[in-house]
Amino acid sequence: MITGLASSALDLRRPHRMVERSVMVYRRGWMVIVSGFFEPLFFLLSIRIGFGALIGDIEVGGRTIGYAEFVAPALMAAAAMNGAIFDSTMNVFYKVKYSKLYDSVLATPMTTADVALGEIAWAMLRGLMYSVAFLLTMWALGMTGSAWVVLAVPVCVLIGFAFASIGMAVTSFMRSWSDFEYVPAVQVPLFLFSATFFPLSQYGSWGWVVQLSPLYHGVALVRGANLGEWSWTYLGHVAVLVGLAVVGLTITARRLRALLLS
Amino acid sequence: MASAPLISARGLVKRFGGFTAVDGIDVEVHPGESFGFLGPNGAGKSSTMRMIGCVSPPTEGELSIFGLDPVRDGREIRSRLGVVPQQDQLDVELTVEENLVIYGRYFDIPRAECRRRAAELLDFVQLTERARSKVDPLSGGMKRRVTIARSLINEPSLLLLDEPTTGLDPQARHVLWDRLYRLKQRGVTLVLTTHYMDEAEQLCDRLVVMDQGRIVAEGSPRSLIAEYSTREVLELRYSPGTNEARAVPIADVGERQEVLPDRVLIYAHDGEAALHEVHERDAMPESSLVRRSSLEDVFLRLTGRTLVD
């Protein structure tokens, strides 16, 4: 039974069909995607015009950088997280419980693993578009630190993958819409306390708690890319995000099976 | 029949926790046949259909579809099935045509071929002019027809229909029956569940009557009627609440009787003669009706209950 579950969880052949479906849906709703450009614009403008001027330079890892340069990459990572969580929670819950989309898909040769990975892949693709938009806005506002910042895009896709997987796994346990009120209770502290707005050193002896946040690892990577710095610790950050993605995906495929194929 | 069965079930059981939905049924469906599961809500019809559709693993017993094992070869079996679920489960974010096209894509059918088939199928279910409409504004009957068109996109040889006309008005039902009859003529094997007697009589060559997870009778509609009922039925209506009392003096009229809350049924070879007898005994009803026996009567005889609440 365990091996049966494991093999079915890995029974992947055409997850891209779910992406194809989403493309069909959003072909008409492209404004929704365009609106994704506004969020980074407003965020970055507020930093550029406001905080950046108020708060002076800060020291990170022995280097002194402007506050805008410090915060912008963190906001980029956070935007990737927020987009992935949005796509993988409410949207997926609606399809499982109300539109019964997945029931009809699973009556075809598609499997729960196809559905899980396909939906997460779509969330990642949207995340990719947002990240590119974010990066272009940062560049236009003169907030990029080095050319290596382009690496922030694949990093954000990885952040999206990790959070979409976890978001979908969590959603598969939701019973009603009211359960979703717990999501911001997790999401907001992650957003604020992942060394996003102030460096890890500010947390003092609580620094280890911050490192438990998956977003912290994403922020560290995007920040590194923006500064064009390399550190072997980045491999650890990548590993955390990949691990979360794999765990989330596996739980999701199994839970969809329990929910839809009983 | 000489051909190998498309569906073969032996001692098939489905349990959900402590509840037994399907309690050891034996079924064989042969190619080209039109087969029905007849029974009230909760009889285990849909659970059986879901097992055949490879979206619900059997708890016990043997099940094979196209000679394949639904647990091991689910993907292969589903690629050759058409499924019309109880709720339409259409993709509400897409148009009618897109619903068909993407469904074909789930089967890995090339996009151009999907479009060609979608056009052909929408013509078949008479919805060509609604191809670009979203699904939501369609009537219940139209949605049902879209679902049937969608189920045919992979040109299945076996079509599973779970209560295909429940909730539809009479006209929509007849349109649907006509389309299903045409599919049957093309050689598609139909397996359907229903709690409508007239539907089973219209569409099924052979059927099983299910009650509380078990099969209580099996045969063609005609043979079941012959075996479990009489040729005709006389229905008598007395004033409310008096059926029991009024039935006493005529208790020996006909071969058998059922006293229901709203009417008395007298099973007789000759309904008119039975009515004459009732009149002779001064048990004049408020209204009476002589009709042919139906599967409803078979079900009543087998379970002591009516089918539709």
Side-chain angles (χ1 to χ4, degrees):
Chain A
M1 170 118 157
I2 299 297
T3 53
L5 276 177
S7 68
S8 63
L10 298 172
D11 189 5
L12 272 171
R13 223 166 296 177
R14 48 196 102 174
H16 49 289
R17 296 282 175 250
M18 289 314 293
V19 176
E20 195 175 328
R21 176 194 169 272
S22 292
V23 171
M24 263 183 166
V25 170
Y26 283 91
R27 221 166 30 190
R28 276 184 307 270
W30 54 273
M31 265 311 289
V32 179
I33 288 177
V34 169
S35 72
F37 278 76
F38 291 111
E39 184 184 314
L41 184 66
F42 295 145
F43 260 135
L44 292 171
L45 273 178
S46 79
I47 299 290
R48 184 104 213 105
I49 303 166
F51 297 114
L54 278 175
I55 307 166
D57 293 352
I58 58 169
E59 201 187 294
V60 194
R63 257 178 81 169
T64 303
I65 56 172
Y67 186 67
E69 221 178 319
F70 174 77
V71 172
L75 287 178
M76 183 174 177
M81 173 186 81
N82 290 338
I85 289 178
F86 179 77
D87 267 336
S88 63
T89 52
M90 303 285 213
N91 280 355
V92 167
F93 188 72
Y94 171 73
K95 290 176 192 167
V96 170
K97 271 249 156 77
Y98 295 94
S99 82
K100 301 280 174 192
L101 172 70
Y102 303 141
D103 291 273
S104 67
V105 173
L106 293 174
T108 73
M110 300 277 285
T111 63
T112 46
D114 288 330
V115 169
L117 187 64
E119 291 289 79
I120 289 166
W122 170 248
M124 283 166 66
L125 275 179
R126 275 182 74 168
L128 174 68
M129 285 183 279
Y130 288 134
S131 298
V132 169
F134 207 111
L135 190 61
L136 288 175
T137 316
M138 262 171 79
W139 176 74
L141 294 172
M143 295 163 97
T144 47
S146 82
W148 290 104
V149 76
V150 293
L151 288 179
V153 171
V155 167
C156 284
V157 170
L158 178 60
I159 295 170
F161 187 19
F163 280 98
S165 303
I166 294 294
M168 227 172 137
V170 170
T171 300
S172 69
F173 290 94
M174 300 283 194
R175 293 150 303 173
S176 68
W177 290 113
S178 61
D179 286 343
F180 284 96
E181 291 177 20
Y182 298 108
V183 172
V186 177
Q187 193 174 354
V188 172
L190 286 184
F191 176 53
L192 294 174
F193 304 117
S194 294
T196 337
F197 295 97
F198 31 95
L200 190 59
S201 54
Q202 288 291 312
Y203 294 88
S205 57
W206 289 98
W208 63 273
V209 178
V210 173
Q211 298 189 42
L212 291 179
S213 156
L215 182 59
Y216 164 77
H217 300 278
V219 168
L221 288 170
V222 178
R223 202 165 266 156
N226 189 36
L227 296 175
E229 278 177 349
W230 168 252
S231 155
W232 287 103
T233 60
Y234 292 169
L235 289 182
H237 296 315
V238 170
V240 168
L241 294 172
V242 170
L244 278 175
V246 171
V247 169
L249 185 60
T250 312
I251 294 175
T252 302
R254 287 185 188 186
R255 281 290 300 165
L256 284 183
R257 199 172 170 76
L259 283 175
L260 303 171
L261 301 180
S262 61
Chain B
M1 252 182 242
S3 53
L6 277 190
I7 301 171
S8 163
R10 290 268 165 278
L12 190 61
V13 173
K14 182 71 197 185
R15 280 191 212 100
F16 297 99
F19 171 69
T20 305
V22 179
D23 195 4
I25 60 169
D26 299 336
V27 171
E28 264 190 15
V29 179
H30 295 272
E33 219 182 355
S34 181
F35 185 88
F37 291 94
L38 178 77
N41 293 329
K45 309 182 305 277
S46 295
S47 297
T48 305
M49 289 295 254
R50 283 175 56 81
M51 285 192 277
I52 296 171
C54 305
V55 291
S56 170
T59 313
E60 270 170 38
E62 286 166 38
L63 177 64
S64 92
I65 298 117
F66 306 121
L68 299 168
D69 171 10
V71 176
R72 203 189 53 226
D73 311 311
R75 198 191 268 271
E76 163 71 17
I77 296 169
R78 292 197 304 274
S79 72
R80 293 159 66 181
L81 283 182
V83 178
V84 177
Q86 207 174 108
Q87 269 89 42
D88 291 311
Q89 296 167 358
L90 290 168
D91 197 326
V92 291
E93 295 179 275
L94 297 173
T95 66
V96 168
E97 188 192 17
E98 286 170 339
N99 257 279
L100 270 57
V101 170
I102 193 65
Y103 213 71
R105 298 293 286 151
Y106 297 147
F107 288 88
D108 270 354
I109 300 163
R111 185 167 271 275
E113 177 65 12
C114 286
R115 279 208 212 89
R116 193 190 65 74
R117 288 189 195 177
E120 202 179 285
L121 288 167
L122 286 179
D123 182 51
F124 174 67
V125 296
Q126 298 165 301
L127 280 172
T128 304
E129 71 283 9
R130 303 305 294 266
R132 284 171 202 287
S133 160
K134 281 262 183 135
V135 171
D136 260 342
L138 301 183
S139 72
M142 287 177 175
K143 282 183 190 163
R144 215 66 191 130
R145 272 143 61 199
V146 177
T147 309
I148 288 178
R150 184 183 70 174
S151 73
L152 297 171
I153 197 86
N154 59 326
E155 300 180 338
S157 54
L158 173 58
L159 188 60
L160 307 178
L161 303 122
D162 197 356
E163 300 195 4
T165 66
T166 297
L168 300 187
D169 62 55
Q171 199 199 343
R173 296 178 74 199
H174 281 284
V175 173
L176 220 66
W177 285 347
D178 170 62
R179 297 296 117 168
L180 293 177
Y181 189 71
R182 287 178 197 218
L183 287 175
K184 181 173 150 52
Q185 281 183 318
R186 290 185 196 171
V188 177
T189 306
L190 303 180
V191 174
L192 59 114
T193 72
T194 182
H195 54 226
Y196 295 121
M197 297 299 158
D198 49 349
E199 184 157 280
E201 291 182 61
Q202 284 267 341
L203 292 176
C204 300
D205 304 323
R206 203 159 60 83
L207 57 97
V208 290
V209 180
M210 283 188 82
D211 188 41
Q212 296 179 332
R214 292 203 179 84
I215 291 175
V216 290
E218 176 174 357
S220 68
R222 188 170 297 195
S223 73
L224 284 171
I225 291 168
E227 189 172 346
Y228 296 101
S229 191
T230 51
R231 199 173 72 94
E232 291 187 340
V233 186
L234 169 62
E235 292 198 8
L236 303 174
R237 282 175 204 276
Y238 294 100
S239 48
T242 63
N243 284 341
E244 297 271 357
R246 299 302 296 269
V248 175
I250 52 168
D252 60 336
V253 177
E255 290 176 26
R256 198 168 54 81
Q257 299 188 351
E258 295 280 353
V259 182
L260 304 179
D262 60 335
R263 65 215 140 111
V264 177
L265 303 181
I266 297 180
Y267 291 93
H269 183 72
D270 184 343
E272 288 297 340
L275 181 60
H276 186 70
E277 183 72 29
V278 168
H279 281 225
E280 294 270 283
R281 298 192 190 186
D282 264 348
M284 293 288 280
E286 290 189 356
S287 69
S288 65
L289 164 76
V290 175
R291 60 169 174 82
R292 284 174 33 146
S293 206
S294 77
L295 284 169
E296 175 86 49
D297 302 298
V298 172
F299 190 81
L300 191 62
R301 171 76 189 273
L302 286 166
T303 68
R305 286 175 292 115
T306 52
L307 243 157
V308 188
D309 15 277

